[in-house]
């Protein structure tokens, strides 16, 4: 699998967040940092998540993406789109109840002309731990299946 990378583009308040390769917890601080800048943009109008080049997403990444959709719905009043062509990624999204959060489109996303890699942001051990816990709380809140799937992990994380 290709090492994970996060790319992004913005044009007149319309954002595209592209996850490429195998995206793991180590990139979640980078994603969260970028999303905060996006939320703070007074010209923000929309966001798409492009997973067409993603090869793998860990549960922390999924939790961060779930939180993105919840925040966008709460703050801006709409359901973002997520683009995914790989049947395995689409099944993963559906199994995590992302169809409640996103408009899942099984097609390629328009290629933004100005998409660039986001500089990596390192988080402290505590920041990463907090992100992992919050991401899994969000996933657990989406469905009973997710609650059961992640309960043992959460018990372990919260005791550590």
């Amino acid at each position: 699998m290709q090492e994970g990378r996060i790319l992004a583009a913005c044009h007149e308040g319309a954002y595209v967040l592209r996850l490429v390769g195998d995206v793991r917890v180590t990139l979640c601080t980078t994603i969260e940092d970028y999303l905060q800048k996006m939320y703070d943009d007074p010209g923000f109008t929309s966001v798409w998540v492009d997973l067409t080049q993603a090869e793998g997403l860990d549960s922390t990444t999924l939790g961060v993406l779930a939180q993105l959709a919840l925040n966008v719905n709460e703050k801006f009043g709409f359901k973002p789109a997520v683009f995914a062509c790989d049947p395995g990624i689409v099944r993963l999204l559906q199994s995590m109840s992302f169809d409640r959060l996103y408009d899942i489109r099984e097609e390629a996303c328009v290629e933004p002309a100005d998409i660039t890699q986001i500089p990596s942001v390192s988080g402290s051990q505590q920041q990463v731990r907090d992100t992992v816990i919050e991401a899994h709380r969000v996933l657990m809140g989406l469905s009973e299946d997710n609650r059961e799937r992640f309960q043992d992990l959460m018990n372990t994380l919260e005791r550590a």
Side-chain angles (χ1 to χ4, degrees):
M1 273 193 191
Q2 178 184 8
E3 184 177 336
R5 296 181 298 134
I6 310 298
L7 291 84
C10 175
H11 180 72
E12 297 179 2
Y15 286 79
V16 175
L17 185 67
R18 177 176 290 161
L19 282 62
V20 177
D22 188 30
V23 182
R24 299 280 160 197
V25 67
T26 54
L27 290 172
C28 287
T29 304
T30 301
I31 297 169
E32 287 182 324
D33 183 70
Y34 185 81
L35 293 178
Q36 189 57 56
K37 291 174 186 167
M38 181 188 76
Y39 300 143
D40 293 342
D41 178 356
F44 175 86
T45 59
S46 66
V47 61
W48 295 346
V49 177
D50 180 353
L51 301 178
T52 58
Q53 295 178 26
E55 297 174 14
L57 305 166
D58 70 3
S59 56
T60 302
T61 302
L62 289 167
V64 169
L65 293 177
Q67 188 64 56
L68 162 64
L70 291 168
N71 287 344
V72 166
N73 194 344
E74 179 182 317
K75 293 178 182 181
F76 305 103
F78 68 90
K79 190 176 182 179
V82 62
F83 291 81
C85 297
D86 181 288
I89 298 287
V90 172
R91 275 192 308 275
L92 176 63
L93 296 174
Q94 291 169 336
S95 75
M96 291 289 146
S97 300
F98 269 50
D99 51 333
R100 295 180 183 175
L101 304 174
Y102 283 94
D103 176 14
I104 299 175
R105 299 185 183 180
E106 296 181 54
E107 59 189 283
C109 182
V110 174
E111 181 69 31
D114 59 346
I115 197 156
T116 57
Q117 186 166 337
I118 299 172
S120 183
V121 175
S122 297
S124 69
Q125 186 175 359
Q126 186 62 45
Q127 284 175 307
V128 172
R129 181 181 181 281
D130 292 346
T131 295
V132 170
I133 290 172
E134 181 58 26
H136 287 86
R137 277 192 188 127
V138 170
L139 288 176
M140 290 173 69
L142 296 179
S143 72
E144 188 56 38
D145 285 344
N146 286 356
R147 181 172 306 291
E148 292 173 14
R149 185 177 289 132
F150 296 114
Q151 188 61 56
D152 289 342
L153 173 62
M154 283 299 289
N155 290 341
T156 301
L157 289 171
E158 289 175 335
R159 275 188 261 133

